[in-house]
Amino acid sequence: MRVLIACEFSGIVREAFNSIAGVYAISCDLLAAEDGRVDVHYQGDVRDILCDGWDMMIAFPDCTYLCGSGIHWNNRGRGWEKTEQSLQFVQFLMEAPIERIAIENPVGIISTRIRRPDQYIQPHDFGHNASKKTGLWLKSLPRLVATNHIPGRLVEWPVGSGKIVERWGNQTDSGQNKLAPSESRWKDRARTYTGIAQAMADQWGRNELR
């Protein structure tokens, strides 16, 4: 099975698929592979290799101008042209001539401008003490099944309200992400959680080979 992991520089999902006998996966991104692999990573535009006979594509298009926080900045007069370009790219990936496709992106404008996702997933359902609600748009692939739920800590929020909510390790009590601003913050947030990557490989790779 030939699997294209589009818009991935980390190699996390690629290596999860390549751990399965009978699967050949490569990642593709404008950036070099973070793990230094050049034999299973194409540095360049995914459109260059999209029609190279893939059986499956898992794509992680840049969410900068698609997610809720990006749209927030657009409403302040920035980025709408880039949002439109990003939406066109997502639509292009969805219509790729590949039998099985999954597009991953955080909550944002894809659901209102193209279509709603087939499911939302959370890292805390795949063995991570973290929260990041993420949509999956699927073609000829089943919904991912949770593998290992990690409960969050219980906090009262807002303080004094009497309302008890769950928060996870990457969140403050108010629900904000704890990652401090930095030049690498976008990279840190873009990496796929290993538990989700392994679930994709097992449930979409291993199961499809049976």
Side-chain angles (χ1 to χ4, degrees), residues 19-193:
S19 70
I20 298 171
V23 173
Y24 168 71
I26 75 163
S27 52
C28 173
D29 197 82
L30 296 176
L31 298 176
E34 196 171 51
D35 59 3
R37 297 288 298 273
V38 295
D39 54 327
V40 286
H41 180 77
Y42 177 79
Q43 184 177 359
D45 193 323
V46 68
R47 285 168 281 211
D48 297 342
I49 61 172
L50 201 61
C51 297
D52 286 0
W54 306 104
D55 300 299
M56 184 186 304
M57 176 177 68
I58 319 297
F60 303 86
D62 183 7
C63 69
T64 303
Y65 297 97
L66 297 170
C67 66
S69 58
I71 302 306
H72 165 76
W73 285 110
N74 287 355
N75 288 332
R76 296 189 178 189
R78 307 182 191 178
W80 277 113
E81 181 180 350
K82 292 186 177 180
T83 290
E84 293 299 326
Q85 293 171 353
S86 297
L87 284 167
Q88 290 171 15
F89 181 59
V90 170
Q91 187 74 61
F92 176 80
L93 292 175
M94 288 181 173
E95 295 172 356
I98 299 172
E99 183 178 354
R100 305 174 188 89
I101 295 175
I103 309 290
E104 181 268 12
N105 228 246
V107 177
I109 200 171
I110 297 175
S111 61
T112 56
R113 289 289 304 278
I114 299 179
R115 69 175 178 88
R116 293 181 60 81
D118 294 281
Q119 74 174 121
Y120 286 109
I121 59 173
Q122 285 276 10
H124 55 68
D125 285 327
F126 296 88
H128 296 274
N129 183 14
S131 177
K132 183 183 178 184
K133 187 177 180 180
T134 303
L136 294 175
W137 288 260
L138 306 174
K139 172 189 172 184
S140 300
L141 286 172
R143 290 159 57 100
L144 278 186
V145 177
T147 57
N148 180 21
H149 177 67
I150 305 297
R153 69 184 187 279
L154 300 180
V155 300
E156 181 186 34
W157 191 264
V159 175
S161 68
K163 181 180 178 182
I164 304 299
V165 297
E166 278 188 290
R167 298 291 188 234
W168 281 267
N170 66 330
Q171 295 177 300
T172 64
D173 285 356
S174 68
Q176 301 301 307
N177 192 285
K178 285 182 177 179
L179 275 177
S182 70
E183 291 185 0
S184 65
R185 188 176 191 269
W186 70 272
K187 273 191 171 184
D188 296 334
R189 297 205 68 184
R191 294 185 186 91
T192 303
Y193 286 89

